[in-house]
Amino acid sequence: MKVKVSRKAHFNAAHRLYRPDWSFEKNDAVFGKCNNPRFHGHNYDLIVSVTGKIDPETGYVMDMKQLKDLIKAEVEDALDHKNLNVEVPEFKALNPTAENIAVVIFNKLRPHIDPSKELEIVLYETPRNFVTYSG
Amino acid sequence: MKVKVSRKAHFNAAHRLYRPDWSFEKNDAVFGKCNNPRFHGHNYDLIVSVTGKIDPETGYVMDMKQLKDLIKAEVEDALDHKNLNVEVPEFKALNPTAENIAVVIFNKLRPHIDPSKELEIVLYETPRNFVTYSG
Amino acid sequence: MKVKVSRKAHFNAAHRLYRPDWSFEKNDAVFGKCNNPRFHGHNYDLIVSVTGKIDPETGYVMDMKQLKDLIKAEVEDALDHKNLNVEVPEFKALNPTAENIAVVIFNKLRPHIDPSKELEIVLYETPRNFVTYSG
Amino acid sequence: MKVKVSRKAHFNAAHRLYRPDWSFEKNDAVFGKCNNPRFHGHNYDLIVSVTGKIDPETGYVMDMKQLKDLIKAEVEDALDHKNLNVEVPEFKALNPTAENIAVVIFNKLRPHIDPSKELEIVLYETPRNFVTYSG
Amino acid sequence: MKVKVSRKAHFNAAHRLYRPDWSFEKNDAVFGKCNNPRFHGHNYDLIVSVTGKIDPETGYVMDMKQLKDLIKAEVEDALDHKNLNVEVPEFKALNPTAENIAVVIFNKLRPHIDPSKELEIVLYETPRNFVTYSG
Amino acid sequence: MKVKVSRKAHFNAAHRLYRPDWSFEKNDAVFGKCNNPRFHGHNYDLIVSVTGKIDPETGYVMDMKQLKDLIKAEVEDALDHKNLNVEVPEFKALNPTAENIAVVIFNKLRPHIDPSKELEIVLYETPRNFVTYSG
């Protein structure tokens, strides 16, 4: 009797899509406007889901307050109002596409979630573009 | 060629999270503000999904009008504008967490859905907290 | 050059619509399901707007962080996870309709907003029902 | 390390639910208001998702700009501002239910998506009714 | 102490933008894709707002249940699942643009609203295009 | 018989709130996280509304296609995927708060809108913070 519990969160950040080992021209051809060297930015909407059995004691799969605090400590404090390329160590050598940001968020949260439970990350880069990753 | 058809519905209810066999202090430590003995409440948004083959006669997996009426009869009439703890028999001895409400809704609908089809419940307790259950 | 700045907030509460000086039958005829004596509840979405001149120093009409903190202190702390009829003094003798809740919120916030600025309250009782009040 | 990337799109169309080989009475009994011979219409919201490995070169599963252009060329140009029954060849002999439209969209896009990747279609006929198909 | 109360509603319809007294070419030049003679359609979202004093007896400006029923009787029953050009008398000689539909809805509702109260119509033709009319 | 027609648009940008003539400490005290010198960013949602009489010829206040194209040419091409502080001339000496961005957008569009019509700008910096300006 597994239930998935989901919590929405939010952060704002600047980023630029490019590879430092490519020429500007190649970056431009592949990443277009997203390669603006002056950066652009997004309001990222995040849905973190944890799937597991309901604890018969509490009726919870996981206390949503704990999940909210965990997202705050591990994700929002690390990424909110930041320049992802310049200020976030995980993206020093990793292009901050929505796909890669979702994987980074998954890896930040996974050690803090009970190993018997599954974790899923949905990350909206814009209201029209989003990605889903579950390990 | 399976398709999942989904229908959104809505109900409002009051509830309180607590276990009568625990002290008030323990309930408070575990459930915080949600243990307010005077109750609080939510607008619950519900998405009911049924997965099965498309009937080649009608082009439907299931008539959405029938699904809408079924949700009205089995879920909305039972839970809307109710105090879940006090007025809904299923929660007499079950803590009305979002997880448990989703399971109760699943169990209310399952007997009315063709056994060859799968059923999934998504229940939003708030726009930021939601749960998913599929048996 | 006046600009209106708006901030969304959120609280959950239980309530019941009725007048203690009316019979149950009259309350039932007027308020229907909303007169459930066991209470029901809502996720209230709130939009607080302040209209005034842009401060040329800061580029702000009002610091949104201050507005957020003010809504937290004056509205969320008073109403969130509460039973409006039983626990909120303003509704001891006032029916907690959406209209009256909006007026109460306006009156709570008005003294804390610069008198040269206008204040507007939009309160969603459900995603389909909402009210607007500006004094 | 598979990631699902999703892109939202939109089209408007008129349609009517009926089978030409049934009597008007039978169509009416089964499809109700949706059988209006003068047609009615919808704003269809579409979410197209592609699941695959992240390309380590680009950090993309698939370039969202390419996905957007593909949806434009294959789906929007074919269905937007059209009468589905009369003007879209796929529905000459197929009832344009949400289920069948989702299957038609899947079949239009599938040949253009890398065979190693999975494709999923979510189609909202209204904000309250939607279907999901993944082959 | 005036409050505006608002109720959201919804209807689906087919339509075509054109003037019968213009040539097809002129209609095409002015209305583009919206002049498709086979019709296209929309999910129209409607917000009806009534502004007036709070009745001190009930705490209501207007009973939202009555407003909901009025919208059902006057607007939804007349427009839902209809072809606006062909089946709705008001559009026999009036182009069913969003602007004109809003005016028609206003005129349908105005006689049923207390003359001391103001009426406002917001009509979404798509999530990105909407109009507002208040007489 | 005035009607307001509204069009939603969208752009992404990086920005930083600060005054070059203030010390970093003063900027930090006033603008907090928004003063990150490495920039952060947003998905800005924009609603442009034009109010005027319905043209009896077309049934339009203004052709929404023209309004869409105007927003693209004057606003999106100037601001989308840009660093507002560094790349947009209007913000060389103006702090890019939501209030100031709304005024800049108003001033960009006003000369292109018929002087007999009113113009209003609503700009969402985040889903919870937004501003309204109408000259």
Side-chain angles (χ1 to χ4, degrees):
Chain A
M1 206 168 81
K2 284 188 164 185
V3 173
K4 177 162 80 164
V5 298
S6 302
R7 172 79 196 167
K8 286 194 191 174
H10 185 87
F11 60 92
N12 312 318
H15 79 153
R16 171 197 181 183
L17 298 188
Y18 84 121
R19 292 180 60 103
D21 56 332
W22 285 0
S23 69
F24 185 83
E25 287 68 27
K26 182 160 182 191
N27 274 301
D28 225 40
V30 173
F31 299 117
K33 289 190 296 185
C34 298
N35 178 37
N36 181 347
R38 302 301 196 169
F39 307 105
H40 64 286
H42 297 289
N43 300 329
Y44 290 94
D45 275 316
L46 175 67
I47 303 174
V48 176
S49 299
V50 174
T51 303
K53 290 188 184 158
I54 301 179
D55 177 342
E57 281 274 300
T58 58
Y60 284 161
V61 168
M62 181 179 178
D63 185 337
M64 292 294 239
K65 177 74 170 56
Q66 286 180 13
L67 184 55
K68 179 187 174 185
D69 292 346
L70 183 63
I71 297 169
K72 171 81 171 59
E74 297 298 320
V75 181
E76 295 178 20
D77 287 355
L79 304 183
D80 189 36
H81 281 76
K82 294 286 168 64
N83 183 312
L84 300 181
N85 303 71
V86 177
E87 297 180 296
V88 179
E90 285 87 348
F91 300 110
K92 281 279 147 71
L94 183 70
N95 201 3
T97 59
E99 289 91 328
N100 282 336
I101 302 172
V103 172
V104 163
I105 291 172
F106 181 94
N107 291 339
K108 283 174 169 290
L109 291 173
R110 184 65 267 187
H112 303 277
I113 303 289
D114 178 340
S116 75
K117 297 191 167 72
E118 297 155 39
L119 175 64
E120 182 193 76
I121 302 300
V122 179
L123 182 72
Y124 283 76
E125 190 175 76
T126 74
R128 301 200 154 226
N129 287 352
F130 59 101
V131 303
T132 305
Y133 179 63
S134 50
Chain B
M1 208 170 78
K2 284 189 164 184
V3 173
K4 177 162 81 164
V5 299
S6 302
R7 172 80 196 167
K8 288 194 189 172
H10 185 87
F11 60 92
N12 313 317
H15 80 153
R16 170 196 182 183
L17 298 188
Y18 84 121
R19 292 181 59 105
D21 55 331
W22 285 359
S23 67
F24 185 83
E25 287 68 27
K26 181 160 182 191
N27 273 301
D28 223 40
V30 173
F31 299 116
K33 289 189 298 184
C34 299
N35 179 37
N36 181 347
R38 301 301 194 169
F39 306 105
H40 64 285
H42 297 288
N43 300 330
Y44 291 93
D45 276 316
L46 174 67
I47 303 173
V48 176
S49 298
V50 173
T51 303
K53 290 189 185 155
I54 299 179
D55 177 341
E57 283 274 300
T58 58
Y60 284 161
V61 168
M62 180 177 178
D63 185 337
M64 293 293 239
K65 177 73 169 56
Q66 286 180 14
L67 184 54
K68 178 188 174 183
D69 292 346
L70 183 63
I71 297 169
K72 170 81 170 58
E74 297 299 320
V75 181
E76 294 178 22
D77 287 355
L79 305 183
D80 189 37
H81 281 77
K82 293 287 169 63
N83 183 311
L84 300 180
N85 303 69
V86 176
E87 297 180 296
V88 179
E90 285 86 350
F91 300 110
K92 282 278 148 74
L94 183 68
N95 200 6
T97 59
E99 289 91 328
N100 282 336
I101 302 171
V103 172
V104 163
I105 291 172
F106 182 94
N107 291 340
K108 282 173 169 292
L109 292 174
R110 184 66 264 189
H112 303 276
I113 303 289
D114 179 339
S116 75
K117 297 191 167 73
E118 298 155 39
L119 175 64
E120 182 193 77
I121 303 299
V122 179
L123 182 72
Y124 284 76
E125 191 175 77
T126 74
R128 300 199 154 226
N129 287 351
F130 59 100
V131 304
T132 306
Y133 179 64
S134 50
Chain C
M1 208 170 81
K2 284 188 164 186
V3 173
K4 177 162 79 165
V5 297
S6 302
R7 173 79 196 168
K8 286 193 190 172
H10 184 88
F11 61 92
N12 313 317
H15 79 154
R16 171 197 182 182
L17 298 188
Y18 84 119
R19 291 181 60 104
D21 55 332
W22 285 359
S23 68
F24 185 83
E25 287 69 25
K26 182 160 182 191
N27 273 301
D28 224 40
V30 173
F31 299 117
K33 288 190 296 185
C34 299
N35 178 37
N36 181 347
R38 301 301 195 169
F39 307 105
H40 65 285
H42 296 288
N43 299 329
Y44 291 94
D45 276 316
L46 174 67
I47 303 173
V48 177
S49 298
V50 174
T51 303
K53 290 188 184 156
I54 300 179
D55 177 341
E57 281 276 300
T58 58
Y60 284 161
V61 168
M62 180 177 179
D63 185 337
M64 292 295 239
K65 178 74 170 57
Q66 286 180 13
L67 183 55
K68 178 187 174 186
D69 292 346
L70 183 63
I71 298 170
K72 171 79 170 60
E74 298 297 321
V75 181
E76 294 178 22
D77 287 356
L79 305 182
D80 189 37
H81 281 77
K82 293 287 169 63
N83 183 312
L84 299 182
N85 303 71
V86 177
E87 298 180 294
V88 179
E90 285 86 349
F91 300 111
K92 281 276 147 73
L94 183 70
N95 200 5
T97 59
E99 289 92 328
N100 282 335
I101 301 172
V103 172
V104 164
I105 291 172
F106 181 94
N107 291 339
K108 282 173 169 291
L109 292 173
R110 184 66 266 189
H112 302 277
I113 303 289
D114 179 340
S116 75
K117 296 192 168 71
E118 297 156 39
L119 176 64
E120 182 192 77
I121 302 300
V122 178
L123 182 72
Y124 282 77
E125 191 173 77
T126 74
R128 301 199 153 226
N129 288 350
F130 58 101
V131 303
T132 306
Y133 179 63
S134 50
Chain D
M1 206 168 82
K2 284 188 164 186
V3 173
K4 178 162 78 164
V5 298
S6 302
R7 173 78 197 167
K8 286 193 189 174
H10 185 89
F11 61 92
N12 313 317
H15 80 154
R16 170 197 184 183
L17 298 188
Y18 83 121
R19 292 182 60 104
D21 56 331
W22 286 359
S23 68
F24 185 83
E25 287 69 26
K26 181 160 182 191
N27 273 300
D28 224 40
V30 173
F31 299 118
K33 290 190 296 185
C34 299
N35 179 37
N36 181 347
R38 302 301 194 168
F39 307 105
H40 64 286
H42 297 288
N43 300 330
Y44 291 93
D45 276 316
L46 174 66
I47 303 173
V48 176
S49 299
V50 174
T51 303
K53 291 188 184 158
I54 299 178
D55 177 342
E57 281 276 298
T58 57
Y60 284 162
V61 168
M62 180 178 178
D63 185 337
M64 291 295 239
K65 178 73 170 56
Q66 286 180 15
L67 184 55
K68 178 187 174 186
D69 292 346
L70 183 64
I71 297 170
K72 172 79 170 60
E74 297 299 320
V75 181
E76 294 178 21
D77 287 356
L79 305 182
D80 189 36
H81 281 76
K82 293 288 169 62
N83 183 312
L84 300 182
N85 303 70
V86 177
E87 297 180 296
V88 179
E90 285 86 349
F91 300 110
K92 281 279 148 74
L94 183 70
N95 201 4
T97 58
E99 289 91 328
N100 282 335
I101 301 172
V103 172
V104 163
I105 291 173
F106 181 93
N107 291 339
K108 282 173 169 290
L109 291 173
R110 184 65 268 188
H112 303 277
I113 303 290
D114 179 339
S116 75
K117 297 191 167 71
E118 298 155 40
L119 175 64
E120 182 193 76
I121 303 299
V122 179
L123 182 72
Y124 282 76
E125 191 174 75
T126 73
R128 301 201 151 225
N129 288 350
F130 59 100
V131 304
T132 306
Y133 179 62
S134 50
Chain E
M1 206 169 80
K2 284 187 164 186
V3 173
K4 177 162 81 165
V5 297
S6 302
R7 173 79 197 168
K8 287 194 190 171
H10 184 88
F11 61 93
N12 313 317
H15 80 152
R16 171 197 182 183
L17 298 188
Y18 83 120
R19 292 181 59 104
D21 57 332
W22 285 359
S23 69
F24 185 83
E25 286 68 27
K26 182 160 182 190
N27 273 302
D28 224 40
V30 173
F31 298 117
K33 287 189 298 184
C34 298
N35 178 37
N36 181 348
R38 300 302 194 168
F39 307 104
H40 65 286
H42 297 288
N43 300 330
Y44 291 94
D45 276 316
L46 174 67
I47 304 174
V48 177
S49 299
V50 174
T51 304
K53 290 189 183 156
I54 300 178
D55 177 341
E57 281 275 300
T58 58
Y60 283 161
V61 168
M62 180 177 178
D63 184 336
M64 293 293 240
K65 177 72 170 57
Q66 285 180 14
L67 183 54
K68 178 187 174 185
D69 292 346
L70 183 63
I71 297 169
K72 171 79 170 60
E74 297 298 319
V75 181
E76 294 178 22
D77 287 356
L79 305 183
D80 189 37
H81 281 78
K82 294 289 168 62
N83 183 311
L84 300 181
N85 303 70
V86 177
E87 297 180 296
V88 180
E90 286 85 350
F91 300 109
K92 281 279 147 73
L94 183 70
N95 200 4
T97 59
E99 290 91 329
N100 282 336
I101 301 172
V103 172
V104 163
I105 292 172
F106 181 93
N107 291 339
K108 282 173 169 291
L109 291 174
R110 184 66 267 188
H112 302 278
I113 303 289
D114 179 340
S116 75
K117 297 191 167 71
E118 297 155 39
L119 175 64
E120 182 192 76
I121 303 300
V122 178
L123 182 71
Y124 283 77
E125 191 174 78
T126 74
R128 301 201 151 224
N129 287 351
F130 59 101
V131 304
T132 306
Y133 179 64
S134 50
Chain F
M1 206 168 81
K2 284 189 164 185
V3 172
K4 177 162 82 164
V5 298
S6 302
R7 173 79 196 168
K8 287 194 190 173
H10 184 88
F11 61 92
N12 313 318
H15 80 153
R16 171 197 182 183
L17 298 188
Y18 84 121
R19 292 181 60 103
D21 56 332
W22 285 358
S23 68
F24 185 83
E25 286 69 25
K26 181 159 183 191
N27 273 301
D28 223 41
V30 173
F31 298 118
K33 289 189 298 184
C34 298
N35 178 37
N36 181 347
R38 301 301 195 169
F39 308 104
H40 64 285
H42 298 288
N43 300 330
Y44 290 93
D45 276 317
L46 174 67
I47 303 174
V48 176
S49 299
V50 173
T51 303
K53 290 188 184 157
I54 300 179
D55 177 341
E57 281 276 299
T58 57
Y60 284 162
V61 168
M62 180 177 179
D63 184 337
M64 292 295 240
K65 178 72 170 57
Q66 286 180 14
L67 184 55
K68 179 188 173 184
D69 292 345
L70 183 63
I71 297 169
K72 171 79 170 59
E74 298 298 321
V75 182
E76 294 178 22
D77 287 355
L79 305 183
D80 189 36
H81 281 77
K82 293 289 169 62
N83 183 313
L84 300 182
N85 303 70
V86 176
E87 297 180 296
V88 180
E90 286 85 350
F91 299 110
K92 281 277 146 75
L94 183 70
N95 200 4
T97 59
E99 290 91 328
N100 282 336
I101 301 171
V103 172
V104 163
I105 291 172
F106 181 94
N107 291 339
K108 282 173 169 289
L109 291 173
R110 184 66 267 189
H112 303 278
I113 303 289
D114 180 340
S116 75
K117 296 191 168 72
E118 298 155 39
L119 175 64
E120 183 192 76
I121 302 300
V122 179
L123 182 71
Y124 283 76
E125 191 174 79
T126 74
R128 301 201 153 224
N129 287 351
F130 59 100
V131 303
T132 306
Y133 179 63
S134 50

